[in-house]
Amino acid sequence: MYRSHTCGQLRTADEGKTVILAGWVQTVRKFGSITFIDLRDRYGITQLLFGEGMNENLNEDSLSREYVLQAEGIVQLRNNKNPQMLTGDIEIKVQRYKILNKSITPPFTIQDDTDGGDDLRMKYRYLDLRRNEVKKNLELRYAVNRSARNYLHENQFIDIETPFLIKSTPEGARDFVVPSRMNAGQFYALPQSPQTFKQLLMVSGYDRYYQIVRCFRDEDLRADRQPEFTQIDCEMSFVEQEDILNMFEGMVKSIFKQVKGVEYSEELPRISWEEAMWVYGSDKPDIRFGMKIANLKSAFKKDGRIIAKGELVNGRGFGIFQQAETILAIAVPGCSEYTRKQLDELTDWVKRPQIGMQGLAYIKCNVDGSFKSSFDKFFGSEDLEAIAEFANAQPGDLVLILAGLEERTRKAISDLRLELGQRLGFRKKEEYKLLWVLDFPLFEYSGEENRWVARHHPFTAPKPDHIGIMIQNDPLIENATDYLNHPYATIKANAYDMVLNGNEIGGGSIRIYQRDLQEKMFTALGMSKEEALHKFGFLLGAFEYGAPPHGGIAFGFDRLCSILGGSESIRDFIAFPKNNSGRDTMLDAPSTIDDKQLKELAIESSAPKS
Amino acid sequence: MYRSHTCGQLRTADEGKTVILAGWVQTVRKFGSITFIDLRDRYGITQLLFGEGMNENLNEDSLSREYVLQAEGIVQLRNNKNPQMLTGDIEIKVQRYKILNKSITPPFTIQDDTDGGDDLRMKYRYLDLRRNEVKKNLELRYAVNRSARNYLHENQFIDIETPFLIKSTPEGARDFVVPSRMNAGQFYALPQSPQTFKQLLMVSGYDRYYQIVRCFRDEDLRADRQPEFTQIDCEMSFVEQEDILNMFEGMVKSIFKQVKGVEYSEELPRISWEEAMWVYGSDKPDIRFGMKIANLKSAFKKDGRIIAKGELVNGRGFGIFQQAETILAIAVPGCSEYTRKQLDELTDWVKRPQIGMQGLAYIKCNVDGSFKSSFDKFFGSEDLEAIAEFANAQPGDLVLILAGLEERTRKAISDLRLELGQRLGFRKKEEYKLLWVLDFPLFEYSGEENRWVARHHPFTAPKPDHIGIMIQNDPLIENATDYLNHPYATIKANAYDMVLNGNEIGGGSIRIYQRDLQEKMFTALGMSKEEALHKFGFLLGAFEYGAPPHGGIAFGFDRLCSILGGSESIRDFIAFPKNNSGRDTMLDAPSTIDDKQLKELAIESSAPKS
């Protein structure tokens, strides 16, 4: 060993010991005949004191930042203690030292608030990784990894590794493929997830499986999406939905406790997909704050009387409200005094193409009990009060109203809600709110292909009550515009998502385990019998030999870590991430390969030569 | 949950409880009006008793092997207890049951000694995995995984995930490559190991890294080699070879203790590569037994007198011995009475093309003290005694002698030693002998390319004393036949292998951490400056910013598990292995992909259409 102790280890009790440390030079501070050097390693920082004799040598060596240094000396108490540092009570009076390696000047400072831009830090990722900020992220990631493993181990789960070189069965996202040299003209695919393997393991009787495993999706990268990502992947046999929810609620709470010291004792709220969409406009609601959405065209009960659909907004001669398919409102707490300028800015915000609304209506619920709206011409004070009350507004609140087509308006008001929640400080970094979203639709409609696609994946079971609907109806969509009235649109899945602070961190389902139902599912997705057999024959076959009821879940490990670390970006929690073009700029990958390699693999590039 | 208990859980103390079990039908035994069913799950087997009432229903359902069954009933003590089974004291008197899924007849029996051949079991791997034999292997694998992780965690190692989509830098084995859709004409490679990444992590200051990680090599598959395999991959900073040896000796001992209950207290013997090659003819000797090799042409000391090179065998007029470059002998214990037939069979064995010897000489060291050899014509009794003594033979032993070119003869006698060790029962499954092999040559000579290749990999440091030889000499080999006399042939590496029962289970080295030495290494391997920069510029760059001294090791996880499980085959310890053509016959992968996929990836297949 080049050291007797680490740079985070020595304390007052070590006074007088002769020690050897090794690490990186963080700072050099010269004061006449003495020099202080802060020496850094993974475990901390220790101050080295170069006194007479030593100091002169130092000058010759012109030691500077990021040099690798080994120093031997005696632990002594500091004159000026530094309570900020764990080793701040002591310093090493250096008697001997050796420069183990030199460093040229780094292209950016190795500090929390570095002067390095994103591109530079990615190119020199090995230097970026030295920053305490990034190190803390990777340490947190390891703590989550360890904590998840321990919980799963204690609950009889067994880690079983599944293959990476598998078969291409694109369904949804694109596969990355790997040409096979030994089987010319054929390709492996990299797994988008170990889905079918974990189901086979249940058929094989392994009962409880887990893996923290890399997955691959060749999608066009949006910001903060990586072509390779990590999942905590789990599957259980002989379970119903309730068992899975309890087991993994337990896991996440255990991670919170061990990694963040947060005792998350309350039960996770559960909300149906339907309700989430109407109350939050989103299937991954952030419930750290209220501002629930009111559907102004819905029917509701008030003081025992039924208010009919649309009665709140129709028949006042306001064309926009009259004609809109959907009108949604949120009450923004304490914002009744927003100025014209602030309201205009919000209106511009919702008119941006990303949001795509025509305009924004509002009602100011003044603290004096009066109301002022952007549509006073059509609505009397009582009308406004009724709307405000339905939107659950208090005096001093600002009711914001969006009108338009249902789907877009829901999305828009959800975005507006999140934006205002952010601006008003309701989305606190260190507050964590988990919930389950349940009862997702089994199918989604693909306009492009005029067919059903699986919302989760083709292995998700329908709710037991809905199996009949699936079996008894023809999946064919005769009238594309009317797909919502097809019986398949009503089928709910035995699927669940765990949501944390507005992010889906995990999702799963109870699986189909009967061959005939799985075949029906493939048919429903427009797959021919031949195609289904070619792609998933092994799974259909497995279901004939005694497949148990089973279900599972997968957590997005990168995302989970980033939220626990209080960051928006998963890249900060991946040691060697790729940029938005799927490139590793440090390695300069992907890159061209030798013609010899191409030839051996029996492939040719059809890309234009550059 | 479909069950209240598992099939491995119930004991006498549970008598009288009403329980629900779920699992697979292992056996059905009918005795008139009652039926016994053994119900199996991952945790064990429990006997179900179907008495009157129940039994009749059973007949209608025609329940058979591998059906998935849920049964509710009362725990009662058995009349005929089965001490072989953990649940053998009790049975469940069934009151209600439900068939959860049916099974057609499996293509082979789900038993330890199955009737299924290899191909059939691979095609139906999900059924093969049900066999207790295979399940035990995967459980052992998980135990090793867990044990390694725990040890490394306790020793401050941190699991950091490295990327799978990296850059192709073939050096040695071929890379698997992945065409990039977003960067047409460019390719990622799958990692042969995370070597450069773990070194970068040391440069980044992570100090102690580990990962249990998949690696990929596109090699022509020999028996029992997989295109994807798993490594326990580790790296440490500020260490010397001694530190690594101690740390990982500790890890393997800890695995032995936790997984096998074996207290491996003795220190691991250490042997130089040079000695291993002369004493065992192999760089991964099986030291569970002796039969060390004697080099009959070597010089040695006896009773204070120096016996000169060749004195034991030369000058007796026996041409074969006279002319052979090398003559090696082993003493086979207790085999002096081998018959003519047995000796002929051994002679045939060494003459097989895989061994490639011309013949086999022998000396029978009879228990009466006399000697009888296959070359009595040339050697007197005293000569034979001298050879036998030098080969360390005892009365009753059989000395076997091979002569020929050095390299081939060493390989041959090593194979012969292992073969006889096997036949004589010296290679006991449940005996474990570990050792370190040290001081490997840094370079090997490639005749094909007339250049040096790295024996371990290009990042391995020479022994400190040998750095000078490397720097001061030109790597160019002027005279190919005389390469052994080139100074580079004498350079030893700071590299080490851990060997268990004749298998290399781990290997590693102290790394180069200086840019100039690393550049010299690339030059020595015949790489141009441009090529080195193109392939490894990121690493050379990293070495300029304060790289610490570091080193590491990687264990072949599949192999380690198979040896601990007492099996020859790593495939038995992989959930979904590939066959010798790199195919997964269950998935039928690799396979052709859609033209649309090829087009998107900007590649074309140049394989002949089938």
Side-chain angles (χ1 to χ4, degrees):
Chain A
M1 281 298 257
Y2 283 75
R3 67 187 176 212
S4 65
H5 295 76
T6 71
C7 295
Q9 201 175 352
L10 295 167
R11 301 285 184 276
T12 310
D14 298 302
E15 191 187 355
K17 281 187 189 157
T18 297
V19 299
I20 307 175
L21 301 186
W24 286 262
V25 173
Q26 177 80 6
T27 57
V28 181
R29 299 188 309 281
K30 293 185 183 275
F31 296 99
S33 65
I34 61 167
T35 302
F36 290 108
I37 285 182
D38 276 355
L39 197 68
R40 183 193 75 229
D41 67 10
R42 177 179 131 199
Y43 311 95
I45 289 180
T46 299
Q47 179 168 291
L48 307 179
L49 166 63
F50 292 74
E52 42 186 311
M54 284 294 118
N55 198 37
E56 289 77 63
N57 298 337
L58 258 196
N59 287 331
E60 279 168 33
D61 278 334
S62 71
L63 210 66
S64 62
R65 281 198 288 137
E66 303 306 320
Y67 269 48
V68 186
L69 190 70
Q70 184 187 38
E72 183 174 339
I74 293 177
V75 181
Q76 62 184 26
L77 299 186
R78 280 210 219 175
N79 290 327
N80 293 312
K81 299 204 177 9
N82 181 349
Q84 306 286 75
M85 287 169 67
L86 289 171
T87 63
D89 289 349
I90 58 95
E91 65 191 3
I92 313 299
K93 188 165 192 300
V94 177
Q95 294 169 323
R96 225 190 306 269
Y97 72 90
K98 191 176 170 191
I99 295 173
L100 297 175
N101 216 343
K102 296 185 177 190
S103 173
I104 57 177
T105 306
F108 51 85
T109 56
I110 312 293
Q111 285 168 351
D112 283 4
D113 49 346
T114 177
D115 55 359
D118 213 42
D119 290 351
L120 200 61
R121 289 191 291 110
M122 283 303 132
K123 187 167 162 53
Y124 296 91
R125 182 63 168 171
Y126 47 85
L127 295 179
D128 197 31
L129 286 169
R130 283 188 188 167
R131 293 169 55 232
N132 197 41
E133 188 83 0
V134 185
K135 195 189 76 177
K136 261 168 37 195
N137 292 348
L138 294 187
E139 285 175 343
L140 178 130
R141 186 180 176 108
Y142 177 51
V144 176
N145 179 323
R146 183 97 192 136
S147 170
R149 285 184 189 279
N150 285 343
Y151 178 87
L152 293 166
H153 180 76
E154 281 155 23
N155 283 283
Q156 279 78 55
F157 285 79
I158 163 170
D159 180 346
I160 300 177
E161 295 155 73
T162 53
F164 279 76
L165 296 173
I166 66 166
K167 182 173 176 151
S168 184
T169 56
E171 165 72 24
R174 281 187 206 85
D175 284 330
F176 281 106
V177 300
V178 182
S180 166
R181 182 179 55 85
M182 293 215 289
N183 304 271
Q186 302 192 343
F187 294 78
Y188 301 100
L190 299 178
Q192 297 189 25
S193 89
Q195 183 61 34
T196 49
F197 293 100
K198 65 178 178 174
Q199 291 193 242
L200 290 180
L201 289 171
M202 295 303 104
V203 174
S204 301
Y206 285 81
D207 206 68
R208 295 185 175 192
Y209 144 95
Y210 83 98
Q211 208 181 175
I212 299 187
V213 63
R214 201 69 51 84
C215 303
F216 305 85
R217 270 176 218 178
D218 185 12
E219 292 178 282
D220 294 321
L221 300 176
R222 293 196 304 245
D224 216 31
R225 208 192 246 173
Q226 291 280 320
E228 50 175 315
F229 55 97
T230 303
Q231 268 182 200
I232 307 178
D233 193 52
C234 308
E235 197 80 4
M236 301 172 78
S237 288
F238 300 116
V239 288
E240 286 148 319
Q241 175 171 299
E242 188 62 29
D243 305 308
I244 304 233
L245 300 190
N246 289 333
M247 179 62 74
F248 292 96
E249 196 164 317
M251 183 182 88
V252 172
K253 285 177 177 175
S254 154
I255 291 171
F256 264 106
K257 188 168 171 187
Q258 287 175 35
V259 176
K260 300 291 294 181
V262 172
E263 286 276 1
Y264 204 107
S265 53
E266 65 264 44
E267 261 192 40
L268 266 59
R270 298 177 184 191
I271 183 174
S272 73
W273 175 83
E274 193 83 27
E275 195 186 342
M277 292 307 287
W278 280 114
V279 174
Y280 297 101
S282 164
D283 58 3
K284 40 179 198 252
D286 186 344
I287 59 167
R288 280 175 294 182
F289 63 106
M291 285 168 61
K292 292 182 181 175
I293 299 166
N295 176 358
L296 301 190
K297 285 220 169 176
S298 65
F300 60 98
K301 236 180 173 176
K302 193 195 160 185
D303 307 334
R305 187 174 84 90
I306 295 204
I307 311 289
K309 267 190 182 181
E311 203 173 293
L312 268 182
V313 285
N314 289 352
R316 270 76 165 183
F318 185 28
I320 291 171
F321 277 11
Q322 193 76 33
Q323 288 141 29
E325 186 185 6
T326 303
I327 306 179
L328 303 173
I330 51 172
V332 188
C335 292
S336 66
E337 306 208 347
Y338 262 29
T339 61
R340 177 85 252 156
K341 201 178 145 198
Q342 284 175 300
L343 290 162
D344 284 350
E345 188 270 332
L346 279 181
T347 307
D348 289 345
W349 195 90
V350 301
K351 282 170 136 177
R352 293 178 317 144
Q354 300 95 308
I355 308 293
M357 288 283 104
Q358 300 290 326
L360 176 70
Y362 64 84
I363 304 173
K364 291 179 167 181
C365 309
N366 298 317
V367 284
D368 64 8
S370 68
F371 297 91
K372 173 87 190 79
S373 81
S374 58
F375 45 93
D376 280 354
K377 201 154 50 156
F378 307 101
F379 283 67
S381 195
E382 263 180 41
D383 293 336
L384 298 179
E385 185 173 1
I387 293 175
E389 190 188 341
F390 183 60
N392 212 13
Q394 306 299 314
D397 288 1
L398 174 69
V399 176
L400 295 176
I401 302 168
L402 291 174
L405 289 170
E406 179 178 308
E407 209 168 324
R408 171 174 297 187
T409 309
R410 265 198 321 206
K411 171 88 174 53
I413 198 128
S414 167
D415 288 346
L416 182 61
R417 175 179 173 272
L418 291 174
E419 173 70 16
L420 285 163
Q422 190 71 37
R423 291 187 190 182
L424 297 169
F426 298 157
R427 305 178 71 184
K428 298 193 190 77
K429 255 194 186 180
E430 290 296 316
E431 186 180 10
Y432 299 100
K433 288 283 184 191
L434 289 155
L435 81 157
W436 287 109
V437 179
L438 308 174
D439 304 341
F440 285 83
L442 186 62
F443 296 106
E444 268 175 352
Y445 173 71
S446 161
E448 206 179 313
E449 304 177 62
N450 190 40
R451 66 168 181 98
W452 300 108
V453 293
R455 194 180 195 289
H456 188 53
H457 56 48
F459 314 106
T460 296
K463 290 262 160 211
D465 296 352
H466 293 186
I467 292 178
I469 309 177
M470 189 165 145
I471 300 217
Q472 286 142 30
N473 289 282
D474 186 333
L476 198 73
I477 303 162
E478 303 226 335
N479 182 355
T481 58
D482 199 29
Y483 76 90
L484 273 175
N485 286 322
H486 189 288
Y488 271 39
T490 67
I491 302 177
K492 292 284 189 279
N494 231 333
Y496 30 81
D497 276 359
M498 192 188 279
V499 174
L500 171 57
N501 292 2
N503 297 279
E504 181 211 321
I505 56 166
S509 63
I510 298 297
R511 323 298 185 187
I512 297 170
Y513 65 101
Q514 309 92 334
R515 176 166 182 148
D516 49 357
L517 189 57
Q518 187 65 65
E519 283 181 319
K520 180 76 188 178
M521 172 58 90
F522 288 142
T523 308
L525 301 176
M527 232 183 260
S528 71
K529 271 224 150 70
E530 294 67 41
E531 194 184 350
L533 271 180
H534 173 70
K535 287 183 171 170
F536 299 109
F538 62 96
L539 188 69
L540 293 170
F543 283 175
E544 302 221 72
Y545 294 97
H550 62 287
I553 196 166
F555 287 84
F557 185 54
D558 308 296
R559 172 66 58 207
L560 177 60
C561 293
S562 85
I563 302 175
L564 291 174
S567 166
E568 292 290 301
S569 162
I570 62 171
R571 268 207 261 169
D572 296 343
F573 291 79
I574 296 173
F576 299 100
K578 294 187 176 55
N579 72 10
N580 285 344
S581 320
R583 294 199 70 81
D584 183 323
T585 56
M586 178 189 73
L587 297 181
D588 191 26
S591 61
T592 54
I593 58 174
D594 299 344
D595 287 342
K596 185 181 160 219
Q597 282 177 286
L598 290 174
K599 209 173 156 192
E600 282 187 329
L601 295 170
I603 55 171
E604 285 166 13
S605 172
S606 55
K609 302 266 174 204
S610 58
Chain B
M1 281 300 255
Y2 284 76
R3 66 187 176 211
S4 64
H5 294 75
T6 71
C7 295
Q9 201 174 353
L10 296 166
R11 300 285 184 276
T12 310
D14 298 302
E15 190 186 356
K17 280 188 191 158
T18 297
V19 299
I20 307 175
L21 301 185
W24 286 262
V25 173
Q26 177 80 6
T27 57
V28 181
R29 299 187 310 279
K30 293 186 182 276
F31 296 98
S33 65
I34 60 168
T35 301
F36 291 108
I37 285 182
D38 276 354
L39 195 68
R40 181 193 76 229
D41 67 11
R42 177 179 132 198
Y43 312 94
I45 289 180
T46 300
Q47 179 168 292
L48 308 178
L49 166 63
F50 292 74
E52 42 188 310
M54 283 293 117
N55 199 36
E56 288 77 62
N57 298 337
L58 258 197
N59 286 331
E60 280 169 33
D61 277 333
S62 71
L63 210 66
S64 61
R65 280 198 291 138
E66 302 306 320
Y67 270 48
V68 186
L69 190 70
Q70 183 186 38
E72 182 175 339
I74 293 176
V75 181
Q76 62 184 26
L77 299 187
R78 281 210 217 176
N79 288 329
N80 292 311
K81 298 203 179 9
N82 180 347
Q84 307 286 74
M85 288 168 67
L86 289 172
T87 64
D89 289 348
I90 57 96
E91 65 193 1
I92 312 298
K93 189 166 193 298
V94 176
Q95 293 170 323
R96 227 189 305 270
Y97 73 89
K98 192 176 169 188
I99 295 173
L100 297 175
N101 217 342
K102 296 185 175 189
S103 173
I104 58 176
T105 306
F108 51 85
T109 55
I110 312 294
Q111 286 168 350
D112 283 3
D113 48 345
T114 178
D115 55 359
D118 213 41
D119 289 350
L120 200 61
R121 290 190 291 109
M122 283 303 132
K123 186 167 163 53
Y124 294 92
R125 182 65 168 169
Y126 47 84
L127 296 179
D128 197 31
L129 286 169
R130 282 188 188 166
R131 292 169 53 232
N132 197 42
E133 188 83 0
V134 185
K135 195 189 77 174
K136 261 170 33 197
N137 292 348
L138 293 188
E139 285 174 343
L140 177 130
R141 185 179 177 108
Y142 178 51
V144 176
N145 179 323
R146 184 99 191 133
S147 170
R149 283 183 190 282
N150 286 343
Y151 178 86
L152 292 166
H153 179 76
E154 282 155 23
N155 284 285
Q156 279 77 55
F157 285 80
I158 164 171
D159 180 346
I160 299 178
E161 296 156 71
T162 53
F164 280 77
L165 296 172
I166 65 167
K167 182 171 176 154
S168 185
T169 56
E171 165 71 22
R174 279 187 208 86
D175 284 329
F176 280 106
V177 300
V178 182
S180 165
R181 182 178 54 85
M182 296 216 288
N183 305 273
Q186 301 191 343
F187 294 78
Y188 301 100
L190 299 178
Q192 297 188 24
S193 90
Q195 182 62 33
T196 50
F197 294 100
K198 65 178 178 174
Q199 292 193 242
L200 289 180
L201 288 171
M202 294 304 103
V203 174
S204 300
Y206 285 81
D207 205 69
R208 295 184 175 193
Y209 144 95
Y210 82 98
Q211 209 182 173
I212 299 187
V213 64
R214 202 68 52 84
C215 303
F216 305 85
R217 270 176 218 178
D218 186 12
E219 291 178 283
D220 295 321
L221 300 177
R222 293 197 302 245
D224 216 33
R225 206 191 247 176
Q226 292 279 319
E228 48 175 317
F229 55 96
T230 304
Q231 268 183 203
I232 307 177
D233 193 52
C234 308
E235 197 80 4
M236 300 171 78
S237 287
F238 299 116
V239 289
E240 286 148 319
Q241 175 171 299
E242 187 64 27
D243 305 307
I244 305 233
L245 300 189
N246 289 332
M247 178 62 74
F248 292 97
E249 195 164 319
M251 183 182 89
V252 171
K253 285 178 177 175
S254 156
I255 291 172
F256 264 106
K257 187 170 173 186
Q258 287 175 37
V259 177
K260 301 291 294 181
V262 171
E263 287 277 2
Y264 204 105
S265 53
E266 65 264 47
E267 261 191 43
L268 266 60
R270 299 177 184 190
I271 181 173
S272 73
W273 175 83
E274 194 81 27
E275 192 185 343
M277 293 306 288
W278 280 114
V279 174
Y280 297 100
S282 164
D283 58 4
K284 40 179 198 254
D286 186 344
I287 58 167
R288 281 174 295 183
F289 62 106
M291 285 166 63
K292 292 183 181 174
I293 299 167
N295 177 357
L296 303 189
K297 286 220 169 176
S298 64
F300 61 99
K301 234 180 172 176
K302 195 194 159 186
D303 307 334
R305 188 174 83 91
I306 295 199
I307 312 290
K309 268 190 180 181
E311 203 174 292
L312 267 183
V313 283
N314 289 350
R316 271 74 167 182
F318 186 28
I320 291 172
F321 277 9
Q322 192 76 32
Q323 287 140 31
E325 185 184 6
T326 303
I327 306 178
L328 303 174
I330 51 173
V332 189
C335 293
S336 65
E337 305 210 347
Y338 262 30
T339 61
R340 179 83 252 160
K341 201 176 147 200
Q342 284 174 298
L343 290 163
D344 283 351
E345 188 272 330
L346 279 182
T347 307
D348 289 344
W349 195 89
V350 301
K351 282 171 140 178
R352 293 178 317 144
Q354 300 95 305
I355 308 295
M357 288 285 104
Q358 302 289 329
L360 178 69
Y362 65 84
I363 305 172
K364 291 179 167 183
C365 309
N366 298 318
V367 284
D368 64 6
S370 69
F371 297 92
K372 172 90 190 74
S373 81
S374 58
F375 44 93
D376 280 355
K377 205 159 37 158
F378 306 99
F379 282 66
S381 195
E382 261 181 44
D383 293 335
L384 297 179
E385 185 174 1
I387 294 175
E389 190 189 341
F390 183 59
N392 211 13
Q394 306 301 315
D397 289 0
L398 173 70
V399 176
L400 295 176
I401 302 168
L402 291 175
L405 288 170
E406 178 179 310
E407 209 169 323
R408 171 174 294 186
T409 308
R410 268 204 312 213
K411 172 86 174 53
I413 199 127
S414 168
D415 288 345
L416 181 63
R417 174 179 174 272
L418 291 174
E419 174 69 16
L420 285 164
Q422 191 70 37
R423 292 187 189 181
L424 297 170
F426 298 156
R427 304 177 72 184
K428 298 193 191 78
K429 254 193 185 180
E430 290 297 317
E431 186 179 9
Y432 300 100
K433 287 285 182 191
L434 289 154
L435 81 157
W436 287 110
V437 179
L438 308 174
D439 305 340
F440 285 84
L442 185 63
F443 296 105
E444 269 175 352
Y445 174 70
S446 161
E448 206 178 315
E449 304 177 62
N450 190 39
R451 66 168 180 99
W452 300 107
V453 293
R455 194 179 197 287
H456 188 52
H457 56 48
F459 313 107
T460 296
K463 290 262 163 215
D465 295 353
H466 293 186
I467 291 178
I469 309 177
M470 189 165 146
I471 300 213
Q472 286 143 27
N473 289 284
D474 186 333
L476 198 74
I477 303 161
E478 304 226 337
N479 182 357
T481 57
D482 199 29
Y483 76 90
L484 273 174
N485 286 322
H486 189 287
Y488 271 40
T490 67
I491 301 178
K492 292 285 189 277
N494 230 331
Y496 29 81
D497 276 0
M498 193 190 277
V499 174
L500 172 56
N501 291 2
N503 298 279
E504 180 211 322
I505 56 165
S509 63
I510 298 297
R511 323 299 184 186
I512 296 171
Y513 65 102
Q514 308 93 331
R515 177 167 181 148
D516 49 356
L517 188 56
Q518 186 66 66
E519 282 180 320
K520 180 76 188 179
M521 172 58 91
F522 289 141
T523 308
L525 301 176
M527 234 184 257
S528 71
K529 270 225 151 69
E530 294 67 41
E531 193 185 350
L533 271 180
H534 173 71
K535 286 184 171 171
F536 298 109
F538 61 97
L539 188 70
L540 293 170
F543 284 175
E544 302 221 71
Y545 294 98
H550 62 288
I553 195 166
F555 287 84
F557 186 53
D558 308 298
R559 172 66 57 205
L560 176 61
C561 292
S562 84
I563 302 174
L564 291 174
S567 165
E568 292 290 301
S569 161
I570 62 169
R571 267 208 261 169
D572 297 343
F573 292 78
I574 297 173
F576 299 100
K578 294 186 175 55
N579 72 11
N580 283 346
S581 322
R583 294 198 70 80
D584 182 323
T585 57
M586 178 188 73
L587 298 181
D588 190 26
S591 61
T592 54
I593 59 173
D594 300 344
D595 286 342
K596 185 181 158 219
Q597 281 176 285
L598 289 174
K599 210 174 155 190
E600 283 187 328
L601 295 170
I603 55 171
E604 284 166 14
S605 173
S606 55
K609 301 266 175 205
S610 59

